[in-house]
Amino acid sequence: QDSPLKAVRMLWVNLIMDPLASLALATEPPTEALLLRRPYGRDHPLVSGTMLRNILGHAAYQLLVIFTLLFAALQRAQRAQAARREERL
């Protein structure tokens, strides 16, 4: 007996993935040369060197921002905790 949850999961996957694919297709302007070029072969990598460099660069940038915000939040919380301790004395 199939669970209806499987269908709901598929709907969620479609809801999440379809806008991302649409954005990916919408970012490249349609040109005649793009429409006339031959498809890439099966032995070509999906991620080119430039794409990999961009992915790693963005990942490093996002990690830097997140860790900076985390460090700043921890410092702020420690200062607030120290101020509360001083008020009690």
Side-chain angles (χ1 to χ4, degrees), residues 23-53:
L23 285 173
L25 291 174
T27 56
E28 193 166 356
T31 61
E32 195 66 31
L34 182 64
L35 295 174
L36 294 176
R37 84 165 167 76
R38 295 188 47 80
Y40 295 120
R42 290 179 183 243
D43 56 343
H44 285 81
L46 281 175
V47 178
S48 68
T50 304
M51 288 171 60
L52 184 62
R53 192 171 55 243

Side-chain angles (χ1 to χ4, degrees), residues 6 10 16 26 34 37-39 42 44 46 64 70 77-79 84:
K6 291 181 184 178
M10 287 302 295
I16 298 300
L34 182 64
R37 84 165 167 76
R38 295 188 47 80
R42 290 179 183 243
H44 285 81
L46 281 175
L64 177 72
L70 179 65
Q78 287 175 352
R79 281 190 214 124
R84 275 182 281 187

